[in-house]
Amino acid sequence: MLAATPLGQARDASARLLDALATADVIAAEDTRRMRSLAAALGVAVTGRVVSHYDAVETARLPGLLDDIRAGRTVLVVTDAGMPAVSDPGYRIVAAAAAAGLPVTCLPGPSAVTTALVLSGLPSERFCFEGFAPRRDGDRRRWLEPLRTEARAVVFFESPHRLAATLATAVDVLGADRPAAVCRELTKTHEEVLRGPLAELAAWAEEGPVRGEITVVLGGAAPSAAPSVESLVAAVHERVADGERLKDAVSTVAAAAGVPKRDLYNAALARP
């Protein structure tokens, strides 16, 4: 089973997590020391076998953990904070267990993604999660480019020492006025949420230093107004002049602009 662990406050642990830590036959922990510290803070005596389960060893651990499950042992997978498999180890064992027909379950609980989304104050009926921002500037720009028109809120993680560079690049690519929120040290003593346009948040991060665990939320892109049908007629005629059939030219131009094909077709016929 997978189980979410507190982001910062041990009291956020669920009763089911306490029971799982106390009774699991095997605990696969991203950091065994942090898992034992959490158990101690919760007053839980860990009796099962504890193995490390971080990125570099996750694949190598799979055969042994699957054998444990086949043998009827309860295997508990936890990460340092939040939900396993969300930018943390976990999804490989779920996929492998499912492929082998072995039972998998999850004990729900804290997640930095949804916590930041709620605290951002941004519309969150629909959102997407982008994991960690790329480290290199060129990669960041290419990663941000599709988000220009992303209508959903976007949540991603960033390290504190790269935050200023990432926000500055976001200003260049997404615009200074794109609404956003920077959530720092969620649920911890020094929790801080800064909300505002990207330009303001980038200026704050540049002043530095920024410390702690960082989750960023970008507001969805404002819907762009569809161009008028009349303004697209010239583009249709250009494609026809290049040898494309009128019907095909209308279909291509209308789909790209988000206008009805019939309206554009009639306009193109009316203006030969």
Side-chain angles (χ1 to χ4, degrees), residues 62-218:
L62 272 179
L65 294 175
L66 293 177
D67 285 344
D68 283 322
I69 298 172
R70 290 189 185 95
R73 302 183 186 97
T74 300
V75 175
L76 174 66
V77 178
V78 295
T79 55
D80 292 346
M83 182 63 72
V86 181
S87 285
D88 272 329
Y91 84 89
R92 287 184 176 88
I93 192 170
V94 173
L102 299 173
V104 182
T105 190
C106 179
L107 309 185
S111 169
V113 175
T114 51
T115 302
L117 191 66
V118 169
L119 289 177
S120 71
L122 297 166
S124 56
E125 293 84 359
R126 299 171 63 236
F127 73 93
C128 59
F129 174 59
E130 290 288 327
F132 278 92
R135 293 170 177 264
R136 298 180 179 179
D137 182 66
D139 293 336
R140 275 199 300 264
R141 289 180 182 276
R142 286 187 288 274
W143 172 72
L144 285 165
E145 189 63 36
L147 302 183
R148 284 179 183 269
T149 56
E150 177 55 71
R152 297 169 295 179
V154 179
V155 185
F156 66 91
F157 298 149
E158 185 53 290
S159 70
H161 66 274
R162 289 196 299 269
L163 180 64
T166 295
L167 292 179
T169 304
V171 169
D172 290 343
V173 176
L174 304 179
D177 295 328
R178 184 76 166 256
V182 174
C183 305
R184 190 180 72 84
E185 293 289 86
L186 289 171
T187 78
K188 300 176 185 177
T189 302
H190 300 291
E191 177 179 283
E192 183 178 24
V193 179
L194 295 101
R195 308 172 183 88
L198 274 174
E200 289 184 10
L201 298 177
W204 165 80
E206 183 64 31
E207 293 176 359
V210 179
R211 296 187 175 90
E213 301 285 337
I214 304 293
T215 306
V216 179
V217 184
L218 301 172

Side-chain angles (χ1 to χ4, degrees), residues 11 36 45 65-66 146 209 229 262:
R11 289 175 298 172
R36 291 189 183 279
L65 294 175
L66 293 177
V229 170
R262 177 176 293 184

Side-chain angles (χ1 to χ4, degrees), residues 236 239 244-258 261 264:
V236 171
R239 300 180 76 97
E244 196 169 347
R245 294 193 311 162
L246 176 61
K247 184 177 180 180
D248 293 337
V250 167
S251 180
T252 300
V253 174
K261 287 189 291 186
L264 181 55

